[in-house]
């Protein structure tokens, strides 16, 4: 597999990375397309199949693992598998797009390792773990238990930030959005070696 550029945004859940990724996708000059991940977790709220995720059962997901269909995959929470299908990235590269990912830190770093020169890996840092908890509660799409699980994972994820190419501190959303645009614009305009 080889093709265009890969832009990874990883962060603890609730850090605002999804908002940042959506904003980047709305900038036509960046020529980005979103890599839709596969997942075995249940659909939340207004999420649509093939738009937010390729939703599938645990056994379907495991079949894809067996067939070596994933660029990377992760059991992010128990029985909640997430992964990037090779076919998804190939499809977007074939359209001449730069591919942007909203994925977990382990998956993000795996892709960076596979395609070191083509990849910009950005870590989005929340102001604090407490603030993260407040944001997740406000989103109110999940139970207290699930929120606590995500918060516990966040502390571990924060420790991986130095392994990323860039860190964006999401203390003020407008500042973070502009910083993200500038970083990605620089990266996609670099000459391909
Ligand atoms: P959520 O359930 O909130 O949509 O996502 C949970 C976590 O899984 C988030 O950190 C999200 O970025 C991550 N995630 C989403 N897609 C993928 C993927 O394809 N691979 C990996 N490794 N993580 C993913």
């Amino acid at each position: 597999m080889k093709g265009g550029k890969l832009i990874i945004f990883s962060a603890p859940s609730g850090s605002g990375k999804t908002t940042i990724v959506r904003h980047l996708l709305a900038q036509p000059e960046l020529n980005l397309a979103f890599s839709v991940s596969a997942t075995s977790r249940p659909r939340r709220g207004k999420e649509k199949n093939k738009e937010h995720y390729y939703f599938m059962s645990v056994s379907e997901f495991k079949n894809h693992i067996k067939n070596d269909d994933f660029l990377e995959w992760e059991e992010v929470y128990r029985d909640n598998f997430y992964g990037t299908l090779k076919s998804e990235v190939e499809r977007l590269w074939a359209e001449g797009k730069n591919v942007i990912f909203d994925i977990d830190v382990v998956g993000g770093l795996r892709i960076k390792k596979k395609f070191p020169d083509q990849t910009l890996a950005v870590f989005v840092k929340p102001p604090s773990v407490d603030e993260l908890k407040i944001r997740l509660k406000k989103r109110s799409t999940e139970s207290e238990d699930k929120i606590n699980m995500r918060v516990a994972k966040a502390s571990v994820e924060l420790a991986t930030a130095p392994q990323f190419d860039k860190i964006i501190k999401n203390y003020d959303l407008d500042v973070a959005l502009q910083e993200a645009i500038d970083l990605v614009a620089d990266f996609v305009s670099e000459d391909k070696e």
Side-chain angles (χ1 to χ4, degrees):
M1 270 178 89
K2 80 190 235 274
K5 299 211 171 171
L6 303 174
I7 292 129
I8 291 158
F9 273 77
S10 292
S13 180
S15 308
K17 74 174 179 286
T18 303
T19 309
I20 294 175
V21 168
R22 281 205 196 115
H23 188 70
L24 290 169
L25 282 161
Q27 315 300 317
E29 75 281 6
L30 300 177
N31 189 31
L32 299 175
F34 181 66
S35 164
V36 178
S37 296
T39 187
S40 67
R41 80 140 163 80
R43 221 177 285 194
R44 275 202 306 252
K46 290 184 181 150
E47 286 177 336
K48 289 202 183 104
N49 189 34
K50 300 185 183 175
E51 192 179 315
H52 296 91
Y53 283 105
Y54 297 105
F55 291 100
M56 57 183 71
S57 64
V58 173
S59 71
E60 262 179 285
F61 198 101
K62 287 185 173 166
N63 255 333
H64 280 299
I65 296 174
K66 217 167 59 192
N67 294 338
D68 194 26
D69 291 334
F70 288 113
L71 205 52
E72 62 78 35
W73 64 271
E74 203 71 35
E75 189 174 8
V76 174
Y77 306 104
R78 198 150 67 89
D79 262 350
N80 285 2
F81 290 88
Y82 295 81
T84 306
L85 289 161
K86 291 177 184 170
S87 57
E88 177 69 359
V89 175
E90 279 163 355
R91 180 175 73 81
L92 300 172
W93 273 346
E95 288 175 13
K97 296 286 187 183
N98 300 307
V99 183
I100 188 162
F101 301 80
D102 173 349
I103 69 178
D104 130 285
V105 294
V106 177
L109 291 170
R110 265 192 198 140
I111 292 180
K112 175 73 193 175
K113 214 169 173 184
K114 280 196 175 161
F115 303 100
D117 302 329
Q118 281 160 263
T119 306
L120 172 71
V122 182
F123 188 91
V124 182
K125 219 172 180 175
S128 66
V129 172
D130 284 347
E131 174 64 24
L132 202 69
K133 196 164 184 178
I134 294 166
R135 288 184 193 179
L136 286 171
K137 278 193 174 155
K138 263 198 208 145
R139 192 159 87 179
S140 72
T141 45
E142 287 166 303
S143 64
E144 181 83 18
D145 264 12
K146 286 244 168 85
I147 290 176
N148 287 337
M149 201 162 76
R150 285 174 189 265
V151 170
K153 187 168 178 267
S155 306
V156 178
E157 288 171 332
L158 282 167
T160 68
Q163 296 178 56
F164 284 75
D165 297 320
K166 302 281 179 190
I167 298 174
I168 290 181
K169 292 179 183 154
N170 188 9
Y171 298 177
D172 174 324
L173 185 60
D174 287 335
V175 175
L177 292 175
Q178 192 53 52
E179 211 179 313
I181 292 180
D182 294 344
L183 278 179
V184 175
D186 268 2
F187 182 72
V188 299
S189 66
E190 275 172 20
D191 285 335
K192 284 182 200 168
E193 296 293 320

